Amino acid sequence: MENGQVYRATTEAHSGPGIGPRSGLAAYFTLSRLTGFRRLKLLELVLSLLAFICEEVVSQCTLCGGLYFFEFVSCSAFLLSLLILVVYCTPVYDRVDPAKVKSSDFFITLGTGLVFFVASLTFTLTHDNTIAEIAAIVFGMLASLTYLAEFSFMLREKLKEPRPRKGEATMRREHLTEPLNA
């Protein structure tokens, strides 16, 4: 027998979802939902990570409260940004209500931006003037401004959406209480 007949059935590549340039986890990750201002999420993720890394480099402090608060907020901002990106860029988005994702994103972005700004100001008032601290403050301020800019874009988009009139809202509620087989 030739080698081709003996080994052919077990050594041929089968074209499936696990083979090709986008295999494994990369096959489930897409940036297609990050359109327009939502691309700021990537910048928020990077800036909050850089702020956290620069803050972690600080070896000593005299007034450490601002440093610890900034550390907590920058790490939390990074993790929340990562969570929202995972939801937007994976099939998880298809399994949840898009309106709830947008609403959660709206309030998370606002809260993170405001708290990050306060933490950056607090750290600015209590830092020891080292290069790592100044870099962390700059990245923190840039991150907080990016969060707040994205929130303003989201708010503008939300205000442009048509709102249901009073009569339409009550008709919708009445429709929800009707039995399905009526």
Side-chain angles (χ1 to χ4, degrees), residues 107-134:
F107 290 110
I108 287 172
T109 302
L110 172 64
T112 305
L114 290 175
V115 174
F116 213 155
F117 188 72
V118 169
S120 297
L121 285 178
T122 305
F123 191 34
T124 301
L125 297 173
T126 61
H127 76 285
D128 290 334
N129 216 14
T130 65
I131 294 174
E133 290 174 323
I134 293 171

Short mmCIF file of all heavy atoms in Angstrom, two decimals, residues 107-134:
data_model
loop_
_atom_site.label_atom_id
_atom_site.label_comp_id
_atom_site.label_asym_id
_atom_site.label_seq_id
_atom_site.Cartn_x
_atom_site.Cartn_y
_atom_site.Cartn_z
N PHE A 107 -24.39 54.47 32.43
CA PHE A 107 -24.17 54.83 33.83
C PHE A 107 -22.78 54.45 34.32
O PHE A 107 -22.20 55.16 35.14
CB PHE A 107 -25.26 54.21 34.71
CG PHE A 107 -26.61 54.84 34.48
CD1 PHE A 107 -27.62 54.13 33.86
CD2 PHE A 107 -26.85 56.14 34.86
CE1 PHE A 107 -28.85 54.71 33.63
CE2 PHE A 107 -28.08 56.74 34.64
CZ PHE A 107 -29.09 56.02 34.02
N ILE A 108 -22.23 53.36 33.82
CA ILE A 108 -20.86 52.97 34.20
C ILE A 108 -19.87 54.01 33.68
O ILE A 108 -18.93 54.40 34.39
CB ILE A 108 -20.52 51.57 33.67
CG1 ILE A 108 -21.26 50.52 34.49
CG2 ILE A 108 -19.02 51.30 33.71
CD1 ILE A 108 -21.16 49.11 33.94
N THR A 109 -20.08 54.48 32.46
CA THR A 109 -19.18 55.48 31.89
C THR A 109 -19.25 56.79 32.67
O THR A 109 -18.22 57.39 32.98
CB THR A 109 -19.52 55.72 30.40
OG1 THR A 109 -19.43 54.48 29.71
CG2 THR A 109 -18.58 56.71 29.76
N LEU A 110 -20.45 57.22 33.02
CA LEU A 110 -20.61 58.45 33.80
C LEU A 110 -19.95 58.31 35.17
O LEU A 110 -19.14 59.16 35.58
CB LEU A 110 -22.08 58.80 33.97
CG LEU A 110 -22.39 59.96 34.92
CD1 LEU A 110 -21.79 61.26 34.40
CD2 LEU A 110 -23.88 60.09 35.15
N GLY A 111 -20.28 57.25 35.88
CA GLY A 111 -19.74 57.05 37.22
C GLY A 111 -18.22 56.91 37.23
O GLY A 111 -17.53 57.51 38.05
N THR A 112 -17.71 56.14 36.30
CA THR A 112 -16.26 55.94 36.23
C THR A 112 -15.55 57.25 35.89
O THR A 112 -14.52 57.56 36.48
CB THR A 112 -15.92 54.86 35.19
OG1 THR A 112 -16.63 53.67 35.50
CG2 THR A 112 -14.44 54.57 35.17
N GLY A 113 -16.10 58.00 34.96
CA GLY A 113 -15.48 59.27 34.58
C GLY A 113 -15.42 60.26 35.73
O GLY A 113 -14.40 60.89 35.98
N LEU A 114 -16.54 60.37 36.46
CA LEU A 114 -16.58 61.32 37.59
C LEU A 114 -15.67 60.88 38.73
O LEU A 114 -14.90 61.70 39.27
CB LEU A 114 -18.02 61.46 38.09
CG LEU A 114 -18.99 62.19 37.16
CD1 LEU A 114 -20.40 62.16 37.73
CD2 LEU A 114 -18.53 63.61 36.90
N VAL A 115 -15.71 59.62 39.10
CA VAL A 115 -14.89 59.14 40.21
C VAL A 115 -13.41 59.17 39.83
O VAL A 115 -12.55 59.52 40.66
CB VAL A 115 -15.34 57.73 40.66
CG1 VAL A 115 -14.41 57.16 41.70
CG2 VAL A 115 -16.75 57.78 41.20
N PHE A 116 -13.10 58.84 38.58
CA PHE A 116 -11.70 58.89 38.13
C PHE A 116 -11.19 60.33 38.16
O PHE A 116 -10.03 60.59 38.53
CB PHE A 116 -11.58 58.32 36.72
CG PHE A 116 -10.30 57.61 36.43
CD1 PHE A 116 -10.25 56.64 35.45
CD2 PHE A 116 -9.12 57.90 37.09
CE1 PHE A 116 -9.09 55.96 35.16
CE2 PHE A 116 -7.93 57.24 36.81
CZ PHE A 116 -7.93 56.27 35.84
N PHE A 117 -12.04 61.28 37.80
CA PHE A 117 -11.65 62.68 37.84
C PHE A 117 -11.38 63.13 39.28
O PHE A 117 -10.38 63.79 39.56
CB PHE A 117 -12.73 63.55 37.19
CG PHE A 117 -12.34 64.98 37.03
CD1 PHE A 117 -11.41 65.36 36.07
CD2 PHE A 117 -12.89 65.96 37.84
CE1 PHE A 117 -11.04 66.68 35.92
CE2 PHE A 117 -12.52 67.29 37.70
CZ PHE A 117 -11.60 67.65 36.74
N VAL A 118 -12.26 62.74 40.20
CA VAL A 118 -12.07 63.09 41.61
C VAL A 118 -10.80 62.44 42.16
O VAL A 118 -10.02 63.07 42.89
CB VAL A 118 -13.31 62.69 42.44
CG1 VAL A 118 -13.04 62.78 43.93
CG2 VAL A 118 -14.50 63.55 42.05
N ALA A 119 -10.57 61.18 41.79
CA ALA A 119 -9.36 60.48 42.26
C ALA A 119 -8.10 61.14 41.70
O ALA A 119 -7.09 61.26 42.42
CB ALA A 119 -9.41 59.01 41.85
N SER A 120 -8.15 61.57 40.45
CA SER A 120 -6.99 62.25 39.86
C SER A 120 -6.73 63.58 40.55
O SER A 120 -5.57 63.94 40.80
CB SER A 120 -7.22 62.46 38.36
OG SER A 120 -7.33 61.23 37.69
N LEU A 121 -7.79 64.32 40.85
CA LEU A 121 -7.62 65.58 41.58
C LEU A 121 -7.06 65.35 42.98
O LEU A 121 -6.17 66.07 43.43
CB LEU A 121 -8.95 66.33 41.67
CG LEU A 121 -9.43 67.01 40.40
CD1 LEU A 121 -10.80 67.65 40.64
CD2 LEU A 121 -8.45 68.04 39.90
N THR A 122 -7.57 64.34 43.65
CA THR A 122 -7.08 64.01 45.00
C THR A 122 -5.61 63.63 44.96
O THR A 122 -4.82 64.07 45.80
CB THR A 122 -7.92 62.86 45.60
OG1 THR A 122 -9.29 63.23 45.57
CG2 THR A 122 -7.50 62.56 47.02
N PHE A 123 -5.26 62.82 44.00
CA PHE A 123 -3.86 62.39 43.86
C PHE A 123 -2.98 63.57 43.48
O PHE A 123 -1.83 63.67 43.91
CB PHE A 123 -3.76 61.26 42.85
CG PHE A 123 -2.43 60.56 42.80
CD1 PHE A 123 -1.67 60.38 43.94
CD2 PHE A 123 -1.95 60.05 41.61
CE1 PHE A 123 -0.45 59.72 43.90
CE2 PHE A 123 -0.74 59.40 41.56
CZ PHE A 123 0.02 59.23 42.71
N THR A 124 -3.51 64.50 42.69
CA THR A 124 -2.75 65.70 42.33
C THR A 124 -2.42 66.52 43.57
O THR A 124 -1.32 67.08 43.68
CB THR A 124 -3.57 66.56 41.34
OG1 THR A 124 -3.84 65.78 40.18
CG2 THR A 124 -2.82 67.80 40.94
N LEU A 125 -3.34 66.60 44.50
CA LEU A 125 -3.13 67.40 45.72
C LEU A 125 -2.23 66.72 46.74
O LEU A 125 -1.69 67.39 47.62
CB LEU A 125 -4.48 67.72 46.36
CG LEU A 125 -5.42 68.59 45.51
CD1 LEU A 125 -6.78 68.70 46.17
CD2 LEU A 125 -4.81 69.96 45.24
N THR A 126 -2.06 65.40 46.65
CA THR A 126 -1.30 64.68 47.67
C THR A 126 -0.02 64.01 47.15
O THR A 126 0.63 63.32 47.92
CB THR A 126 -2.18 63.59 48.32
OG1 THR A 126 -2.59 62.65 47.32
CG2 THR A 126 -3.39 64.20 48.99
N HIS A 127 0.33 64.20 45.90
CA HIS A 127 1.50 63.48 45.36
C HIS A 127 2.82 64.12 45.83
O HIS A 127 2.85 65.26 46.30
CB HIS A 127 1.44 63.41 43.84
CG HIS A 127 1.78 64.68 43.12
ND1 HIS A 127 0.93 65.74 43.06
CD2 HIS A 127 2.89 65.04 42.45
CE1 HIS A 127 1.49 66.72 42.37
NE2 HIS A 127 2.68 66.32 41.99
N ASP A 128 3.91 63.36 45.68
CA ASP A 128 5.24 63.80 46.12
C ASP A 128 6.10 64.32 44.97
O ASP A 128 7.31 64.46 45.12
CB ASP A 128 5.98 62.64 46.80
CG ASP A 128 5.37 62.30 48.14
OD1 ASP A 128 4.75 63.19 48.75
OD2 ASP A 128 5.51 61.13 48.56
N ASN A 129 5.49 64.58 43.83
CA ASN A 129 6.17 65.19 42.68
C ASN A 129 7.24 64.29 42.04
O ASN A 129 8.24 64.78 41.55
CB ASN A 129 6.79 66.53 43.09
CG ASN A 129 6.71 67.54 41.97
OD1 ASN A 129 5.98 67.34 41.00
ND2 ASN A 129 7.46 68.62 42.09
N THR A 130 7.02 62.97 42.04
CA THR A 130 7.93 62.08 41.32
C THR A 130 7.42 61.91 39.89
O THR A 130 6.24 62.19 39.60
CB THR A 130 8.03 60.70 42.00
OG1 THR A 130 6.76 60.06 41.93
CG2 THR A 130 8.51 60.82 43.44
N ILE A 131 8.28 61.46 39.01
CA ILE A 131 7.91 61.30 37.61
C ILE A 131 6.79 60.28 37.44
O ILE A 131 5.86 60.49 36.66
CB ILE A 131 9.15 60.92 36.77
CG1 ILE A 131 10.15 62.07 36.76
CG2 ILE A 131 8.77 60.53 35.36
CD1 ILE A 131 11.45 61.78 36.10
N ALA A 132 6.87 59.18 38.18
CA ALA A 132 5.83 58.14 38.07
C ALA A 132 4.48 58.68 38.52
O ALA A 132 3.44 58.38 37.91
CB ALA A 132 6.22 56.92 38.90
N GLU A 133 4.46 59.47 39.58
CA GLU A 133 3.21 60.04 40.06
C GLU A 133 2.63 61.04 39.06
O GLU A 133 1.42 61.04 38.80
CB GLU A 133 3.42 60.72 41.41
CG GLU A 133 3.67 59.76 42.54
CD GLU A 133 4.03 60.47 43.83
OE1 GLU A 133 4.74 61.50 43.78
OE2 GLU A 133 3.59 59.99 44.89
N ILE A 134 3.48 61.86 38.50
CA ILE A 134 3.01 62.84 37.51
C ILE A 134 2.47 62.13 36.28
O ILE A 134 1.42 62.50 35.74
CB ILE A 134 4.14 63.83 37.16
CG1 ILE A 134 4.44 64.70 38.39
CG2 ILE A 134 3.76 64.69 35.97
CD1 ILE A 134 5.67 65.56 38.25
#
